[in-house]
Amino acid sequence: MTHIQQEENGFLAGDDLDSLFSDVAMEPEVAAAPQDTRDLNYFQQLPVKVTLEVASAEVSLGELMEAGEGAVIELNKAVGEPLDVKVNGALLAQGEVVVANGRYGVRLTRIVNRPASQAGANET
């Protein structure tokens, strides 16, 4: 082991500091190359909630409390208009209801492209 001298203040002097690292191989560190392609298989397995929103309406609490069985609340979309397809609450597409094997489904008719700056914002 190399003898290291310290100055009066406890710090190592110039050449003595270099001798601390003489036993360590001085190989340049290899920086990890950035990955141009990411493995997206992990993300393809994450579950998301897909909902089909037929339409909506805004009513007062009083109107809602007065409504009874058989009451009709008028919604904001006309018959035949595309319905909103939302993923985790964010608008993804528009589509139409279909029946497949006795179950409801949705046929996507238009994919909504949003700017990246709005990608995290939920639409209502």
Side-chain angles (χ1 to χ4, degrees):
M1 178 173 240
T2 309
H3 181 18
I4 302 170
Q5 295 183 2
Q6 295 183 348
E7 292 184 3
E8 292 176 13
N9 60 8
F11 294 107
L12 297 174
D15 289 337
D16 294 330
L17 184 60
D18 291 336
S19 66
L20 277 177
F21 300 104
S22 63
D23 295 337
V24 179
M26 299 300 276
E27 294 180 17
E29 292 183 24
V30 178
Q35 290 182 330
D36 292 337
T37 58
R38 293 188 173 111
D39 184 12
L40 298 178
N41 289 333
Y42 171 77
F43 296 103
Q44 291 177 352
Q45 298 173 14
L46 293 177
V48 294
K49 185 174 184 178
V50 178
T51 57
L52 180 62
E53 186 175 283
V54 174
S56 63
E58 192 170 315
V59 297
S60 70
L61 184 56
E63 291 173 310
L64 193 57
M65 291 175 68
E66 290 176 6
E69 287 184 30
V72 175
I73 299 173
E74 187 175 338
L75 302 176
N76 65 352
K77 288 196 178 185
V79 174
E81 280 189 65
L83 309 178
D84 293 335
V85 179
K86 294 185 175 184
V87 175
N88 289 345
L91 183 65
L92 169 75
Q94 291 185 320
E96 57 191 19
V97 175
V98 295
V99 177
N101 297 324
R103 292 183 174 232
Y104 289 111
V106 61
R107 176 181 293 125
L108 301 181
T109 57
R110 181 175 156 257
I111 304 295
V112 177
N113 291 321
R114 296 186 302 172
S117 62
Q118 295 178 356
N122 286 350
E123 296 188 19
T124 56

